[in-house]
């Protein structure tokens, strides 16, 4: 049985949201979650053992480069996603909105959000996150109190050999100790710590606002297309040759097929 475009999209989104929800809920830290992780790793190990050694070694090296070493792959991927999303708005969505309402400025909001998000992204990526060096060690050491439980005084980093302030941690990606270390973000290729944590929060807010605005503009354009074309009043022919009233899933697929057909025509001209 063929899966429709809408079913594939919903399955993908549901799978991603389920994984994020389980991760945030701490499921993978439970006993059952650890068994699931162990089973997944065992399956991966079994597959790798069945592959020729050069191919298995290549896949392991690629995985380690992507997820255990500091690199700019995810930076390029993020930039490509943002640019492609805004390009879709500019080419496919905004022209429809101007046909419906020529008086409103439909470019202003996405442009402002894109500029703001880009500036915040650069600040997160390029600003010092709070690396503990010779000159800043004492400054960060006095910033937070030691609770003698999680954070104890007179501890030294076993990797970089510097005295560890409270709430600091050594980053395995950057190979540096960072004050008030939060995490290493692969999308910015930078640690998130004391000096750039605020920028990172505003960056996340700008990304969410940009996504919501894009969804709002796209749904508005689609609703206008449906209304002008009177698609809800039409019927479609099913696999048995019978005429059926328009449904939401069929309507989404019609829009998807029409967009592909339009894009293919534009490329063949």
């Amino acid at each position: 049985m063929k899966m429709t475009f809408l079913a594939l999209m919903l399955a993908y989104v549901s799978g991603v949201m389920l994984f994020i929800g389980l991760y945030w809920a701490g499921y993978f830290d439970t006993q059952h979650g650890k068994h699931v992780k162990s089973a997944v790793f065992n399956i991966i190990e079994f597959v790798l053992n069945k592959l020729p050694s050069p191919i298995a070694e290549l896949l392991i090296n690629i995985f380690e480069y992507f997820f255990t070493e500091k690199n700019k792959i995810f930076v390029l991927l993020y930039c490509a996603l943002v640019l492609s999303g805004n390009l879709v708005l500019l080419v496919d969505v905004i022209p429809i909105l101007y046909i419906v309402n020529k008086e409103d400025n439909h470019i202003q909001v996405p442009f402002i959000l894109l500029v703001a998000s880009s500036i915040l992204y650069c600040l997160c990526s390029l600003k010092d996150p709070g690396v503990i060096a010779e000159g800043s060690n004492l400054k960060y050491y006095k910033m937070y109190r030691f609770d003698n439980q999680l954070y104890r005084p007179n501890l030294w980093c076993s990797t970089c050999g510097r005295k560890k302030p409270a709430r600091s941690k050594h980053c395995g990606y950057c190979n540096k100790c960072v004050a008030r270390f939060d995490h290493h973000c692969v999308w910015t290729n930078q640690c998130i710590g004391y000096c750039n944590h605020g920028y990172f929060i505003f960056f996340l807010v700008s990304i969410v606002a940009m996504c919501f605005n894009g969804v709002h503009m796209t749904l508005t354009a689609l609703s206008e297309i449906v209304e002008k074309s009177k698609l809800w009043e039409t019927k479609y022919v099913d696999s048995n040759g019978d005429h059926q009233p328009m449904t939401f899933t069929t309507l989404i697929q019609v829009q998807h097929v029409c967009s592909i057909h339009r894009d293919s025509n534009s490329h063949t001209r």
Side-chain angles (χ1 to χ4, degrees):
M1 180 179 179
K2 283 188 176 180
M3 293 189 70
T4 63
F5 163 74
L6 183 62
L8 286 171
M9 182 182 70
L10 291 177
Y12 171 75
V13 173
S14 300
V16 172
M17 295 304 295
L18 177 63
F19 176 82
I20 293 174
L22 291 174
Y23 181 80
W24 279 355
Y27 169 76
F28 295 109
D29 292 327
T30 64
Q31 192 66 28
H32 189 268
K34 290 178 180 179
H35 287 317
V36 172
K37 285 195 296 184
S38 177
V40 171
F41 287 135
N42 288 336
I43 293 172
I44 295 174
E45 185 179 1
F46 174 79
V47 173
L48 289 175
N49 289 333
K50 294 297 181 180
L51 294 174
S53 298
I55 297 178
E57 187 175 348
L58 176 63
L59 292 175
I60 292 173
N61 290 335
I62 292 174
F63 177 85
E64 290 180 348
Y65 177 75
F66 268 76
F67 298 103
T68 65
E69 297 179 15
K70 188 173 181 179
N71 62 77
K72 296 183 179 180
I73 299 295
F74 285 97
V75 173
L76 297 175
L77 178 59
Y78 167 78
C79 294
L81 290 172
V82 172
L83 290 176
S84 60
N86 282 274
L87 186 62
V88 170
L89 282 180
L90 185 63
V91 174
D92 291 332
V93 178
I94 292 178
I96 297 173
L97 296 177
Y98 271 112
I99 293 174
V100 176
N101 189 348
K102 297 181 180 180
E103 296 180 358
D104 291 345
N105 188 344
H106 301 287
I107 299 180
Q108 184 177 12
V109 174
F111 178 76
I112 291 174
L113 290 174
L114 177 61
V115 171
S117 178
S118 300
I119 293 173
L120 290 168
Y121 181 79
C122 291
L123 289 172
C124 291
S125 303
L126 302 177
K127 187 175 176 59
D128 174 23
V131 175
I132 299 173
E134 289 293 341
S136 61
N137 194 309
L138 185 61
K139 166 189 170 183
Y140 294 126
Y141 200 79
K142 294 181 178 180
M143 192 170 294
Y144 298 103
R145 293 181 179 180
F146 295 95
D147 59 6
N148 291 315
Q149 295 179 8
L150 290 176
Y151 310 109
R152 299 178 181 179
N154 300 320
L155 290 180
W156 296 78
C157 177
S158 60
T159 306
C160 62
R162 300 190 185 279
K163 200 172 185 180
K164 295 183 64 174
R167 301 184 65 179
S168 66
K169 186 180 178 182
H170 187 90
C171 175
Y173 290 91
C174 301
N175 197 28
K176 296 175 182 177
C177 279
V178 178
R180 206 179 76 184
F181 180 84
D182 188 87
H183 71 288
H184 180 91
C185 178
V186 295
W187 298 102
T188 61
N189 199 33
Q190 180 69 286
C191 291
I192 305 301
Y194 174 77
C195 296
N196 63 351
H197 189 266
Y199 297 122
F200 183 73
I201 296 298
F202 282 112
F203 165 66
L204 295 180
V205 172
S206 69
I207 288 294
V208 173
M210 192 160 55
C211 291
F212 272 106
N213 180 67
V215 171
H216 170 71
M217 295 177 69
T218 302
L219 291 178
T220 302
L222 286 175
S223 64
E224 292 296 336
I225 293 174
V226 171
E227 184 177 347
K228 296 293 183 183
S229 305
K230 297 182 179 180
L231 290 177
W232 280 119
E233 302 175 10
T234 61
K235 294 184 177 182
Y236 70 95
V237 180
D238 61 14
S239 58
N240 297 323
D242 299 326
H243 290 269
Q244 302 291 343
M246 183 63 68
T247 62
F248 177 74
T249 54
T250 306
L251 184 63
I252 294 296
Q253 292 178 75
V254 167
Q255 295 296 324
H256 176 63
V257 171
C258 289
S259 65
I260 293 176
H261 181 67
R262 184 175 63 252
D263 291 341
S264 62
N265 287 340
S266 64
H267 287 308
T268 54
R269 288 177 185 174

